[in-house]
Amino acid sequence: MTTGAESKMRRFLGKFGIYFVLILTSVIVVFPFYLTVLTAFKQPADARNFFLALPVKWSFDNFEQVLTRGGYWDALKNSAIITVIATFGTMAINTILAYFLGRNQHKKFFNFAYYFFIIGIFIPFQVVMIPLVILGKGLGMLNLQGLICMHIALSFPTNVFLMTGFVKGVPRDVDEAAMIDGCGPIRTFYQIIMPMMSPIIATTLVLTVLGVWNDFTLPLVVLQKDKTLPLFIYNYRTKYITNFNLAFAAYTLSMIPPMVVYLFCQKYIIKGLASGAVKG
């Protein structure tokens, strides 16, 4: 029989364990961000000091050099164009695809199509990288337009999985009521189902923006002349030395756009992830 003291001790240890894990996780997440911002404001002479030490003098010179260095604004423009178009294309295609897959998964063709798409989750990018480049070269798509198409195609597995799971959780009575009112499948989707999908759309939108904006490997193997921000930042690393001050200043600047997107969509993200991954 458990005494009152033992019960209190168990509750205390349970709370202590929870808070310990939360604090440890927070430190792991915040530490790289802290180090990035701290280094971005350091002058080159401060780099020889302890890496966690505050700057002797806070300076914006690193940011000024990054912004005035040739190629930054072109790289920013390319990253913005690729991210916006790829995200829009992904949302436009995957939402309606997930709706028809979720509503018709009892049919063999749609069930096969669903598993055909989500099996891509288990295939590492390194496996398809070389065939993708060979195919892109043969089609003349080793450029910005080809990169956008590849990003859209590679986003299918995760987005279809999350969105289809969400759609399967929406009662079919909604579709039947819309059909009685004279709505066809397309009109039902755009006027009724799509607004209900706003949490999972916001979630996949943020995941897509982060994935495309921060991607380094795919632009590296696809683009021949143009550069994105990750490729531009990579130029701060040479054979013999890495200019950490400028590189971290560029990292800090590159974090701003996705953070803005996340702040606008944050209230939908947890709800959308939970609904998309669990329902169905």
Side-chain angles (χ1 to χ4, degrees):
M1 186 173 180
T2 305
T3 63
E6 291 176 346
S7 178
K8 289 181 180 179
M9 179 58 68
R10 289 183 178 179
R11 288 197 296 269
F12 170 77
L13 291 176
K15 289 183 179 180
F16 175 81
I18 293 173
Y19 283 113
F20 176 78
V21 172
L22 289 175
I23 293 173
L24 180 63
T25 305
S26 299
V27 171
I28 294 173
V29 172
V30 172
F31 178 74
F33 177 78
Y34 168 80
L35 187 62
T36 300
V37 176
L38 196 67
T39 307
F41 284 97
K42 287 184 177 181
Q43 294 180 336
D46 294 339
R48 293 189 292 269
N49 299 331
F50 181 52
F51 69 101
L52 289 179
L54 293 175
V56 177
K57 180 182 179 182
W58 293 82
S59 173
F60 288 91
D61 292 343
N62 296 324
F63 296 97
E64 183 179 353
Q65 291 185 50
V66 170
L67 294 175
T68 56
R69 180 175 178 175
Y72 173 80
W73 294 106
D74 289 334
L76 177 64
K77 180 187 69 175
N78 292 337
S79 287
I81 291 173
I82 293 169
T83 302
V84 170
I85 299 178
T87 302
F88 177 80
T90 298
M91 295 298 103
I93 297 172
N94 289 348
T95 48
I96 193 166
L97 176 62
Y99 170 67
F100 283 104
L101 289 176
R103 283 296 186 255
N104 298 282
Q105 204 167 348
H106 58 283
K107 300 178 181 179
K108 290 184 178 180
F109 172 78
F110 288 95
N111 191 50
F112 170 79
Y114 171 72
Y115 286 107
F116 176 79
F117 283 122
I118 69 170
I119 199 173
I121 297 175
F122 308 102
I123 302 176
F125 172 73
Q126 290 77 7
V127 174
V128 300
M129 179 174 64
I130 295 178
L132 195 64
V133 173
I134 295 174
L135 179 63
K137 184 178 181 180
L139 297 175
M141 298 179 64
L142 298 183
N143 47 40
L144 292 179
Q145 295 82 358
L147 181 61
I148 292 171
C149 294
M150 293 178 190
H151 273 303
I152 294 175
L154 293 173
S155 70
F156 271 52
T158 301
N159 290 349
V160 167
F161 171 70
L162 292 174
M163 289 184 173
T164 303
F166 188 93
V167 170
K168 288 162 64 178
V170 177
R172 291 181 178 271
D173 297 343
V174 175
D175 300 64
E176 295 173 358
M179 190 180 300
I180 293 174
D181 290 338
C183 294
I186 301 297
R187 186 179 175 187
T188 299
F189 169 72
Y190 282 108
Q191 294 189 355
I192 300 174
I193 303 298
M194 192 172 179
M196 297 175 66
M197 291 177 64
S198 57
I200 197 63
I201 289 175
T203 301
T204 53
L205 184 145
V206 171
L207 293 176
T208 303
V209 167
L210 290 176
V212 176
W213 182 266
N214 296 323
D215 187 39
F216 173 79
T217 308
L218 190 59
L220 179 66
V221 299
V222 170
L223 296 181
Q224 298 178 327
K225 297 181 180 179
D226 300 298
K227 291 186 180 297
T228 59
L229 272 180
L231 296 182
F232 172 81
I233 296 172
Y234 185 70
N235 287 335
Y236 289 112
R237 178 184 180 276
T238 64
K239 182 178 181 180
Y240 300 103
I241 191 172
T242 299
N243 195 326
F244 289 105
N245 300 76
L246 296 182
F248 278 74
Y251 292 148
T252 304
L253 290 173
S254 67
M255 288 191 296
I256 296 175
M259 287 179 65
V260 171
V261 174
Y262 176 82
L263 290 175
F264 277 104
C265 302
Q266 61 176 333
K267 65 179 180 179
Y268 298 106
I269 292 175
I270 301 301
K271 180 179 178 182
L273 276 174
S275 301
V278 175
K279 288 184 178 179

mmCIF file of all heavy atoms in Angstrom, residues 133-168:
data_model
loop_
_atom_site.group_PDB
_atom_site.id
_atom_site.type_symbol
_atom_site.label_atom_id
_atom_site.label_comp_id
_atom_site.label_asym_id
_atom_site.label_seq_id
_atom_site.Cartn_x
_atom_site.Cartn_y
_atom_site.Cartn_z
ATOM 1 N N VAL A 133 19.274 14.001 -61.212
ATOM 2 C CA VAL A 133 20.142 14.910 -61.970
ATOM 3 C C VAL A 133 20.278 14.438 -63.419
ATOM 4 O O VAL A 133 20.239 15.248 -64.359
ATOM 5 C CB VAL A 133 21.525 15.014 -61.302
ATOM 6 C CG1 VAL A 133 22.479 15.817 -62.172
ATOM 7 C CG2 VAL A 133 21.396 15.664 -59.931
ATOM 8 N N ILE A 134 20.427 13.135 -63.617
ATOM 9 C CA ILE A 134 20.539 12.599 -64.983
ATOM 10 C C ILE A 134 19.259 12.879 -65.766
ATOM 11 O O ILE A 134 19.307 13.304 -66.936
ATOM 12 C CB ILE A 134 20.827 11.085 -64.936
ATOM 13 C CG1 ILE A 134 22.202 10.831 -64.312
ATOM 14 C CG2 ILE A 134 20.758 10.479 -66.329
ATOM 15 C CD1 ILE A 134 22.514 9.368 -64.094
ATOM 16 N N LEU A 135 18.111 12.660 -65.125
ATOM 17 C CA LEU A 135 16.831 12.945 -65.782
ATOM 18 C C LEU A 135 16.687 14.428 -66.074
ATOM 19 O O LEU A 135 16.255 14.825 -67.170
ATOM 20 C CB LEU A 135 15.681 12.465 -64.900
ATOM 21 C CG LEU A 135 14.261 12.706 -65.430
ATOM 22 C CD1 LEU A 135 14.036 11.949 -66.736
ATOM 23 C CD2 LEU A 135 13.227 12.299 -64.382
ATOM 24 N N GLY A 136 17.061 15.271 -65.107
ATOM 25 C CA GLY A 136 16.971 16.715 -65.314
ATOM 26 C C GLY A 136 17.866 17.194 -66.434
ATOM 27 O O GLY A 136 17.495 18.069 -67.224
ATOM 28 N N LYS A 137 19.051 16.606 -66.537
ATOM 29 C CA LYS A 137 19.968 16.985 -67.622
ATOM 30 C C LYS A 137 19.392 16.589 -68.969
ATOM 31 O O LYS A 137 19.484 17.346 -69.947
ATOM 32 C CB LYS A 137 21.319 16.322 -67.395
ATOM 33 C CG LYS A 137 22.377 16.711 -68.414
ATOM 34 C CD LYS A 137 23.720 16.063 -68.105
ATOM 35 C CE LYS A 137 24.770 16.480 -69.130
ATOM 36 N NZ LYS A 137 26.106 15.857 -68.832
ATOM 37 N N GLY A 138 18.798 15.403 -69.033
ATOM 38 C CA GLY A 138 18.216 14.952 -70.291
ATOM 39 C C GLY A 138 17.046 15.803 -70.737
ATOM 40 O O GLY A 138 16.803 15.969 -71.937
ATOM 41 N N LEU A 139 16.306 16.359 -69.770
ATOM 42 C CA LEU A 139 15.139 17.192 -70.091
ATOM 43 C C LEU A 139 15.484 18.678 -70.141
ATOM 44 O O LEU A 139 14.594 19.507 -70.335
ATOM 45 C CB LEU A 139 14.031 16.958 -69.058
ATOM 46 C CG LEU A 139 13.460 15.536 -68.991
ATOM 47 C CD1 LEU A 139 12.449 15.420 -67.848
ATOM 48 C CD2 LEU A 139 12.789 15.171 -70.318
ATOM 49 N N GLY A 140 16.763 19.017 -69.934
ATOM 50 C CA GLY A 140 17.155 20.423 -69.943
ATOM 51 C C GLY A 140 16.589 21.200 -68.763
ATOM 52 O O GLY A 140 16.229 22.368 -68.895
ATOM 53 N N MET A 141 16.525 20.555 -67.582
ATOM 54 C CA MET A 141 15.894 21.169 -66.409
ATOM 55 C C MET A 141 16.887 21.443 -65.286
ATOM 56 O O MET A 141 16.499 21.584 -64.133
ATOM 57 C CB MET A 141 14.772 20.263 -65.894
ATOM 58 C CG MET A 141 13.649 20.048 -66.867
ATOM 59 S SD MET A 141 12.360 18.959 -66.224
ATOM 60 C CE MET A 141 11.737 19.915 -64.847
ATOM 61 N N LEU A 142 18.173 21.537 -65.618
ATOM 62 C CA LEU A 142 19.161 21.889 -64.597
ATOM 63 C C LEU A 142 19.240 23.407 -64.488
ATOM 64 O O LEU A 142 20.257 24.043 -64.791
ATOM 65 C CB LEU A 142 20.517 21.274 -64.940
ATOM 66 C CG LEU A 142 20.566 19.745 -64.987
ATOM 67 C CD1 LEU A 142 21.980 19.256 -65.259
ATOM 68 C CD2 LEU A 142 20.022 19.146 -63.699
ATOM 69 N N ASN A 143 18.138 23.999 -64.043
ATOM 70 C CA ASN A 143 18.012 25.450 -63.904
ATOM 71 C C ASN A 143 16.981 25.746 -62.823
ATOM 72 O O ASN A 143 16.494 24.824 -62.140
ATOM 73 C CB ASN A 143 17.610 26.089 -65.239
ATOM 74 C CG ASN A 143 16.455 25.349 -65.893
ATOM 75 O OD1 ASN A 143 15.509 24.911 -65.223
ATOM 76 N ND2 ASN A 143 16.515 25.191 -67.212
ATOM 77 N N LEU A 144 16.640 27.015 -62.656
ATOM 78 C CA LEU A 144 15.695 27.399 -61.610
ATOM 79 C C LEU A 144 14.331 26.750 -61.817
ATOM 80 O O LEU A 144 13.693 26.288 -60.860
ATOM 81 C CB LEU A 144 15.542 28.927 -61.570
ATOM 82 C CG LEU A 144 16.760 29.734 -61.102
ATOM 83 C CD1 LEU A 144 16.461 31.223 -61.152
ATOM 84 C CD2 LEU A 144 17.160 29.331 -59.680
ATOM 85 N N GLN A 145 13.856 26.720 -63.075
ATOM 86 C CA GLN A 145 12.545 26.131 -63.353
ATOM 87 C C GLN A 145 12.535 24.639 -63.020
ATOM 88 O O GLN A 145 11.582 24.127 -62.420
ATOM 89 C CB GLN A 145 12.170 26.341 -64.825
ATOM 90 C CG GLN A 145 11.964 27.779 -65.239
ATOM 91 C CD GLN A 145 13.258 28.517 -65.549
ATOM 92 O OE1 GLN A 145 14.362 27.978 -65.417
ATOM 93 N NE2 GLN A 145 13.123 29.765 -65.966
ATOM 94 N N GLY A 146 13.609 23.952 -63.403
ATOM 95 C CA GLY A 146 13.697 22.530 -63.083
ATOM 96 C C GLY A 146 13.780 22.284 -61.591
ATOM 97 O O GLY A 146 13.190 21.334 -61.073
ATOM 98 N N LEU A 147 14.513 23.151 -60.881
ATOM 99 C CA LEU A 147 14.636 23.015 -59.427
ATOM 100 C C LEU A 147 13.279 23.169 -58.752
ATOM 101 O O LEU A 147 12.950 22.438 -57.807
ATOM 102 C CB LEU A 147 15.619 24.050 -58.895
ATOM 103 C CG LEU A 147 15.884 24.036 -57.385
ATOM 104 C CD1 LEU A 147 16.469 22.698 -56.955
ATOM 105 C CD2 LEU A 147 16.819 25.175 -56.989
ATOM 106 N N ILE A 148 12.475 24.111 -59.228
ATOM 107 C CA ILE A 148 11.131 24.306 -58.672
ATOM 108 C C ILE A 148 10.282 23.051 -58.867
ATOM 109 O O ILE A 148 9.598 22.584 -57.935
ATOM 110 C CB ILE A 148 10.459 25.534 -59.319
ATOM 111 C CG1 ILE A 148 11.180 26.816 -58.893
ATOM 112 C CG2 ILE A 148 8.981 25.600 -58.942
ATOM 113 C CD1 ILE A 148 10.731 28.050 -59.640
ATOM 114 N N CYS A 149 10.318 22.496 -60.074
ATOM 115 C CA CYS A 149 9.544 21.277 -60.350
ATOM 116 C C CYS A 149 9.996 20.117 -59.461
ATOM 117 O O CYS A 149 9.170 19.338 -58.976
ATOM 118 C CB CYS A 149 9.684 20.892 -61.820
ATOM 119 S SG CYS A 149 8.955 22.073 -62.982
ATOM 120 N N MET A 150 11.301 20.011 -59.238
ATOM 121 C CA MET A 150 11.815 18.922 -58.400
ATOM 122 C C MET A 150 11.374 19.093 -56.956
ATOM 123 O O MET A 150 11.029 18.124 -56.277
ATOM 124 C CB MET A 150 13.339 18.866 -58.494
ATOM 125 C CG MET A 150 13.855 18.461 -59.860
ATOM 126 S SD MET A 150 15.664 18.464 -59.932
ATOM 127 C CE MET A 150 15.930 18.252 -61.696
ATOM 128 N N HIS A 151 11.382 20.335 -56.465
ATOM 129 C CA HIS A 151 10.938 20.582 -55.093
ATOM 130 C C HIS A 151 9.460 20.199 -54.937
ATOM 131 O O HIS A 151 9.068 19.611 -53.919
ATOM 132 C CB HIS A 151 11.134 22.050 -54.725
ATOM 133 C CG HIS A 151 12.498 22.361 -54.187
ATOM 134 N ND1 HIS A 151 13.028 21.722 -53.084
ATOM 135 C CD2 HIS A 151 13.446 23.244 -54.601
ATOM 136 C CE1 HIS A 151 14.232 22.200 -52.838
ATOM 137 N NE2 HIS A 151 14.513 23.112 -53.742
ATOM 138 N N ILE A 152 8.653 20.543 -55.926
ATOM 139 C CA ILE A 152 7.230 20.199 -55.863
ATOM 140 C C ILE A 152 7.053 18.680 -55.836
ATOM 141 O O ILE A 152 6.280 18.136 -55.038
ATOM 142 C CB ILE A 152 6.471 20.815 -57.055
ATOM 143 C CG1 ILE A 152 6.482 22.348 -56.939
ATOM 144 C CG2 ILE A 152 5.039 20.300 -57.114
ATOM 145 C CD1 ILE A 152 5.868 23.059 -58.133
ATOM 146 N N ALA A 153 7.782 17.988 -56.716
ATOM 147 C CA ALA A 153 7.664 16.531 -56.785
ATOM 148 C C ALA A 153 8.136 15.863 -55.498
ATOM 149 O O ALA A 153 7.493 14.930 -55.001
ATOM 150 C CB ALA A 153 8.464 16.005 -57.977
ATOM 151 N N LEU A 154 9.235 16.346 -54.922
ATOM 152 C CA LEU A 154 9.786 15.728 -53.717
ATOM 153 C C LEU A 154 8.957 16.024 -52.470
ATOM 154 O O LEU A 154 9.133 15.363 -51.439
ATOM 155 C CB LEU A 154 11.224 16.203 -53.502
ATOM 156 C CG LEU A 154 12.244 15.728 -54.544
ATOM 157 C CD1 LEU A 154 13.591 16.404 -54.322
ATOM 158 C CD2 LEU A 154 12.412 14.215 -54.476
ATOM 159 N N SER A 155 8.052 17.010 -52.558
ATOM 160 C CA SER A 155 7.211 17.333 -51.402
ATOM 161 C C SER A 155 5.978 16.435 -51.305
ATOM 162 O O SER A 155 5.291 16.432 -50.280
ATOM 163 C CB SER A 155 6.754 18.799 -51.494
ATOM 164 O OG SER A 155 5.813 18.967 -52.548
ATOM 165 N N PHE A 156 5.683 15.683 -52.357
ATOM 166 C CA PHE A 156 4.465 14.879 -52.383
ATOM 167 C C PHE A 156 4.347 13.891 -51.219
ATOM 168 O O PHE A 156 3.295 13.842 -50.570
ATOM 169 C CB PHE A 156 4.365 14.130 -53.717
ATOM 170 C CG PHE A 156 3.667 14.900 -54.793
ATOM 171 C CD1 PHE A 156 4.053 16.192 -55.099
ATOM 172 C CD2 PHE A 156 2.627 14.346 -55.503
ATOM 173 C CE1 PHE A 156 3.426 16.913 -56.089
ATOM 174 C CE2 PHE A 156 1.976 15.066 -56.502
ATOM 175 C CZ PHE A 156 2.380 16.348 -56.796
ATOM 176 N N PRO A 157 5.357 13.060 -50.932
ATOM 177 C CA PRO A 157 5.163 12.015 -49.914
ATOM 178 C C PRO A 157 4.681 12.529 -48.560
ATOM 179 O O PRO A 157 3.645 12.100 -48.053
ATOM 180 C CB PRO A 157 6.554 11.376 -49.817
ATOM 181 C CG PRO A 157 7.171 11.618 -51.148
ATOM 182 C CD PRO A 157 6.675 12.962 -51.576
ATOM 183 N N THR A 158 5.426 13.477 -47.972
ATOM 184 C CA THR A 158 5.070 13.969 -46.638
ATOM 185 C C THR A 158 3.750 14.728 -46.653
ATOM 186 O O THR A 158 2.882 14.517 -45.800
ATOM 187 C CB THR A 158 6.189 14.868 -46.092
ATOM 188 O OG1 THR A 158 7.408 14.130 -46.039
ATOM 189 C CG2 THR A 158 5.842 15.365 -44.698
ATOM 190 N N ASN A 159 3.576 15.618 -47.626
ATOM 191 C CA ASN A 159 2.364 16.434 -47.664
ATOM 192 C C ASN A 159 1.115 15.610 -47.941
ATOM 193 O O ASN A 159 0.054 15.836 -47.348
ATOM 194 C CB ASN A 159 2.511 17.546 -48.715
ATOM 195 C CG ASN A 159 3.516 18.602 -48.298
ATOM 196 O OD1 ASN A 159 3.954 18.632 -47.149
ATOM 197 N ND2 ASN A 159 3.891 19.463 -49.213
ATOM 198 N N VAL A 160 1.221 14.656 -48.846
ATOM 199 C CA VAL A 160 0.069 13.800 -49.137
ATOM 200 C C VAL A 160 -0.297 12.972 -47.905
ATOM 201 O O VAL A 160 -1.473 12.788 -47.589
ATOM 202 C CB VAL A 160 0.364 12.887 -50.340
ATOM 203 C CG1 VAL A 160 -0.682 11.787 -50.460
ATOM 204 C CG2 VAL A 160 0.393 13.713 -51.625
ATOM 205 N N PHE A 161 0.710 12.476 -47.203
ATOM 206 C CA PHE A 161 0.460 11.697 -45.990
ATOM 207 C C PHE A 161 -0.287 12.521 -44.946
ATOM 208 O O PHE A 161 -1.302 12.074 -44.383
ATOM 209 C CB PHE A 161 1.784 11.188 -45.422
ATOM 210 C CG PHE A 161 1.671 10.553 -44.078
ATOM 211 C CD1 PHE A 161 1.043 9.328 -43.926
ATOM 212 C CD2 PHE A 161 2.188 11.184 -42.957
ATOM 213 C CE1 PHE A 161 0.933 8.735 -42.676
ATOM 214 C CE2 PHE A 161 2.077 10.608 -41.709
ATOM 215 C CZ PHE A 161 1.458 9.379 -41.560
ATOM 216 N N LEU A 162 0.187 13.731 -44.670
ATOM 217 C CA LEU A 162 -0.437 14.572 -43.648
ATOM 218 C C LEU A 162 -1.823 15.040 -44.074
ATOM 219 O O LEU A 162 -2.789 14.958 -43.305
ATOM 220 C CB LEU A 162 0.461 15.773 -43.351
ATOM 221 C CG LEU A 162 1.794 15.483 -42.652
ATOM 222 C CD1 LEU A 162 2.629 16.750 -42.562
ATOM 223 C CD2 LEU A 162 1.557 14.910 -41.271
ATOM 224 N N MET A 163 -1.937 15.528 -45.310
ATOM 225 C CA MET A 163 -3.219 16.074 -45.760
ATOM 226 C C MET A 163 -4.278 14.995 -45.922
ATOM 227 O O MET A 163 -5.447 15.211 -45.568
ATOM 228 C CB MET A 163 -3.024 16.831 -47.082
ATOM 229 C CG MET A 163 -2.266 18.133 -46.949
ATOM 230 S SD MET A 163 -2.173 19.014 -48.531
ATOM 231 C CE MET A 163 -1.426 20.553 -48.010
ATOM 232 N N THR A 164 -3.906 13.852 -46.461
ATOM 233 C CA THR A 164 -4.880 12.777 -46.630
ATOM 234 C C THR A 164 -5.391 12.290 -45.283
ATOM 235 O O THR A 164 -6.589 12.023 -45.116
ATOM 236 C CB THR A 164 -4.257 11.597 -47.406
ATOM 237 O OG1 THR A 164 -3.769 12.067 -48.659
ATOM 238 C CG2 THR A 164 -5.284 10.504 -47.647
ATOM 239 N N GLY A 165 -4.502 12.189 -44.314
ATOM 240 C CA GLY A 165 -4.926 11.809 -42.975
ATOM 241 C C GLY A 165 -5.907 12.794 -42.386
ATOM 242 O O GLY A 165 -6.862 12.404 -41.707
ATOM 243 N N PHE A 166 -5.703 14.076 -42.663
ATOM 244 C CA PHE A 166 -6.623 15.096 -42.164
ATOM 245 C C PHE A 166 -7.985 14.985 -42.857
ATOM 246 O O PHE A 166 -9.035 15.052 -42.213
ATOM 247 C CB PHE A 166 -6.035 16.488 -42.401
ATOM 248 C CG PHE A 166 -6.809 17.600 -41.746
ATOM 249 C CD1 PHE A 166 -6.462 18.047 -40.488
ATOM 250 C CD2 PHE A 166 -7.889 18.188 -42.388
ATOM 251 C CE1 PHE A 166 -7.169 19.069 -39.876
ATOM 252 C CE2 PHE A 166 -8.603 19.205 -41.792
ATOM 253 C CZ PHE A 166 -8.244 19.653 -40.525
ATOM 254 N N VAL A 167 -7.963 14.814 -44.183
ATOM 255 C CA VAL A 167 -9.215 14.722 -44.943
ATOM 256 C C VAL A 167 -10.033 13.521 -44.494
ATOM 257 O O VAL A 167 -11.266 13.594 -44.378
ATOM 258 C CB VAL A 167 -8.917 14.649 -46.455
ATOM 259 C CG1 VAL A 167 -10.185 14.310 -47.240
ATOM 260 C CG2 VAL A 167 -8.336 15.971 -46.944
ATOM 261 N N LYS A 168 -9.382 12.409 -44.214
ATOM 262 C CA LYS A 168 -10.090 11.208 -43.782
ATOM 263 C C LYS A 168 -10.772 11.416 -42.434
ATOM 264 O O LYS A 168 -11.716 10.691 -42.091
ATOM 265 C CB LYS A 168 -9.105 10.037 -43.693
ATOM 266 C CG LYS A 168 -8.662 9.529 -45.060
ATOM 267 C CD LYS A 168 -7.389 8.707 -44.981
ATOM 268 C CE LYS A 168 -7.577 7.446 -44.181
ATOM 269 N NZ LYS A 168 -6.318 6.632 -44.166
#
